[in-house]
Amino acid sequence: MVDETSLDERLADLATGGRQGAVPMAAELIRARGDRRRRRKRAARASGGVLLAAAVAVGGLSLVRAGLPESAPPAADPSPSTSVPLFVAPTPAPGEEYASELGYVYDAVVLDGGRVRVTVQQLRDEKGTAVPTGVVHELTLPAVTPVEVERLTGGKPGDKRLEDVVDRLRAGPQWVFALDYDGEGRVQSLREAHWLSVQ
């Protein structure tokens, strides 16, 4: 009985090894990369609704606040300006891995500890045209954050790390990216939004 079990295990190992040898590793990587891109595109489409819902919620809160009587703020503790929209990190829709935010990424600065600080000027997609929302915020990201680029590298599509493109992102708003957020509000990757025209 022991011999039959070990023979079955050896045959299973040989079959697994044969299957792995029959499918080249490059094909597996290409398939995995394609699956990731499909998930990100689905997340980008879904995030448009999430951003709209967040905008409606913020607008509703400001209307409710406008109906309440206001007291004068204390001189020592001024409240922040309510005319500047606040940044709300997008959250993935049910069943989605990521939610995306569109925006200019610029003013990149390398920090100690393998991190990069960038400024993001949020945009929304209006029929293929990027339109500013008025929200500007800063992010501090790991220097090894994956970045998919195309125009940024002279029209050559490829994958880089954030630290590889800091020099191109040091200037003012020029390059539009989709930033992929996970369920905990962390940026997992940046994808150059080459499909959008900028207003």
Side-chain angles (χ1 to χ4, degrees):
M1 189 69 176
V2 173
D3 291 337
E4 286 180 18
T5 303
S6 64
L7 180 61
D8 287 345
E9 289 174 0
R10 290 196 61 212
L11 287 173
D13 289 343
L14 285 172
T16 303
R19 279 194 299 272
Q20 287 175 345
V23 179
M25 185 59 84
E28 291 178 17
L29 292 174
I30 290 168
R31 191 176 309 114
R33 191 171 173 190
D35 289 344
R36 280 198 310 270
R37 284 195 173 143
R38 274 193 295 278
R39 283 196 304 270
R40 287 178 182 161
K41 283 182 184 175
R42 268 189 263 124
R45 278 190 230 115
S47 70
V50 172
L51 290 174
L52 178 61
V56 169
V58 170
L61 288 174
S62 63
L63 286 175
V64 169
R65 191 178 307 134
L68 297 174
E70 282 191 44
S71 60
D77 185 26
S79 61
S81 170
T82 55
S83 64
V84 178
L86 297 175
F87 169 68
V88 178
T91 55
E96 295 292 342
E97 191 173 359
Y98 301 114
S100 294
E101 172 193 22
L102 288 174
Y104 284 112
V105 177
Y106 59 101
D107 285 347
V109 177
V110 177
L111 305 174
D112 292 337
R115 304 191 67 76
V116 175
R117 186 181 66 234
V118 295
T119 301
V120 179
Q121 180 182 345
Q122 194 177 78
L123 304 167
R124 68 176 175 272
D125 182 356
E126 287 191 3
K127 299 179 182 175
T129 302
V131 179
T133 65
V135 176
V136 177
H137 61 99
E138 287 188 348
L139 291 171
T140 301
L141 306 171
V144 295
T145 301
V147 182
E148 288 183 20
V149 293
E150 184 168 317
R151 291 181 188 155
L152 191 71
T153 54
K156 288 181 168 181
D159 293 329
K160 301 275 187 188
R161 293 181 302 188
L162 184 56
E163 64 189 355
D164 299 331
V165 295
V166 165
D167 289 341
R168 301 298 308 265
L169 300 177
R170 283 190 201 279
Q174 180 180 1
W175 305 103
V176 178
F177 285 88
L179 293 83
D180 296 320
Y181 289 80
D182 65 13
E184 296 179 14
R186 296 174 301 205
V187 174
Q188 296 299 309
S189 62
L190 285 78
R191 293 173 291 120
E192 189 178 353
H194 55 83
W195 62 88
L196 288 177
S197 58
V198 181
Q199 193 178 48

